[in-house]
Amino acid sequence: MLRGAAVRAALLRAVRGAPGRAGLGRAVPRAEEQEDEEEEEQPAGRVPLYPGHIPTSPLQKALLAAGSACVALWDPYRHDMVAVLGETTGCLALPKLRDRMRNDPEGYRILQERPRIRLSTLDMARLRGLPAGTLGREYVRFLEDNKVSPDTRMPAKFVDDEELAYVMQRYREVHDLMHTLLGMPTNMLGEVVVKWFEAVQTGLPMCVLGAAFGPVRLNARKLQVLATELVPWAVRSGRNASCVLNVYYEQRWEQSVESLREEIGIFPPPAVRV
């Protein structure tokens, strides 16, 4: 019989909250969380496909998807639950994204070389010293202005294919670069706009849900701006742009944001305050 201790621990985190902050109930004590992880046993006949992989059955994935969706809708800043939702519902979209990368020379090279965007792989001092308007300088500016770090992106756990797990990881690690290219901050309005663009680009159900339900937290003025200007622009840009996973961003730091937008096919952002 499948014990699924890791799945049970994930569901506990969904209901009780991430370590150190409140969720729908009490926060899970770190010791209790570690105890669940220590109990983890792999289901019979299933073994991890990559470091950190947690094999799950379709039923377990459905339970994880339902639980993480509820918590993510309640608190959109629960990035751990957003990550679980993306992995457990991306079984159709991820192979299509992988195929688009395989069929593009730059995307294929990314799949072969598996670059990572983390503080350990970035020369932040060099990027900070690039001219204003370059991708590297504007990316660092985005990180500093919004007080975010590329190291907060969780590793994939529930994707049952090693290559598809990397595609999911790559999507997560270029998310902040999407903010940079689209000129969107990390407030709720900015996140919803980015999710609309990503939903069109990737087809990931998690992005579709975020685009559809994120606006419920916006006031009337922001809803009007979103509906009349930002969503039409994000959808047009998403449809017009080539696959954003096929860009080797680590080799484009010195390229201007404006020229990279033009190359990819992203239209200039509307002149509205976000």
Side-chain angles (χ1 to χ4, degrees):
M1 182 176 181
L2 305 186
R3 292 188 61 184
V7 177
R8 186 168 64 253
L11 286 171
L12 280 171
R13 286 193 293 272
V15 175
R16 298 175 180 173
R21 60 173 299 188
L24 294 179
R26 67 177 179 85
V28 180
R30 189 63 191 165
E32 179 181 334
E33 188 174 307
Q34 288 175 340
E35 181 180 339
D36 274 330
E37 291 172 354
E38 287 169 1
E39 289 178 3
E40 177 182 340
E41 289 183 8
Q42 298 303 332
R46 307 193 71 182
V47 295
L49 302 176
Y50 51 87
H53 176 230
I54 302 174
T56 48
S57 69
L59 175 59
Q60 290 171 324
K61 279 186 171 60
L63 292 172
L64 284 168
S68 59
C70 290
V71 178
L73 290 173
W74 181 271
D75 181 0
Y77 291 102
R78 280 292 304 274
H79 301 300
D80 54 339
M81 292 296 101
V82 174
V84 172
L85 179 61
E87 293 177 31
T88 53
T89 61
C91 56
L92 297 179
L94 286 174
K96 294 179 181 178
L97 287 171
R98 187 263 316 276
D99 291 345
R100 293 176 70 182
M101 295 181 73
R102 283 179 174 177
N103 292 328
D104 180 89
E106 196 164 344
Y108 180 77
R109 192 154 60 89
I110 292 169
L111 284 176
Q112 295 300 304
E113 298 179 7
R114 305 286 178 91
R116 297 292 306 275
I117 299 177
R118 303 184 62 80
L119 289 177
S120 60
T121 65
L122 297 172
D123 186 343
M124 297 296 285
R126 173 178 170 270
L127 298 182
R128 196 175 288 111
L130 291 174
T134 59
L135 178 65
R137 183 65 189 93
E138 297 310 314
Y139 174 60
V140 171
R141 192 192 311 278
F142 167 82
L143 296 177
E144 294 175 343
D145 288 351
N146 294 279
K147 297 179 174 58
V148 295
S149 167
D151 286 356
T152 59
R153 302 301 170 189
M154 294 178 61
K157 296 180 180 179
F158 300 107
V159 180
D160 294 330
D161 180 276
E162 187 268 343
E163 190 172 45
L164 295 182
Y166 175 75
V167 174
M168 174 59 77
Q169 191 70 40
R170 185 65 175 176
Y171 156 74
R172 288 177 183 163
E173 293 183 0
V174 304
H175 175 77
D176 289 336
L177 284 160
M178 295 304 99
H179 277 274
T180 304
L181 288 171
L182 296 171
M184 292 293 124
T186 58
N187 59 23
M188 184 55 63
L189 181 56
E191 289 290 355
V192 170
V193 174
V194 173
K195 279 292 177 283
W196 273 99
F197 176 83
E198 292 178 339
V200 174
Q201 268 278 307
T202 68
L204 287 167
M206 173 264 297
C207 296
V208 176
L209 287 172
F213 290 99
V216 301
R217 295 176 174 270
L218 302 175
N219 60 35
R221 183 190 67 81
K222 291 183 177 180
L223 277 174
Q224 183 177 13
V225 172
L226 180 71
T228 59
E229 299 197 51
L230 294 174
V231 166
W233 163 73
V235 171
R236 286 192 304 112
S237 290
R239 288 175 175 170
N240 186 67
S242 56
C243 180
V244 293
L245 296 184
N246 287 338
V247 179
Y248 212 135
Y249 297 98
E250 295 88 338
Q251 299 179 358
R252 307 294 193 96
W253 295 130
E254 297 179 4
Q255 186 173 351
S256 72
V257 169
E258 183 178 354
S259 69
L260 186 54
R261 280 180 188 154
E262 184 176 350
E263 177 185 334
I264 296 174
I266 297 174
F267 299 114
V272 296
R273 183 179 177 182
V274 180

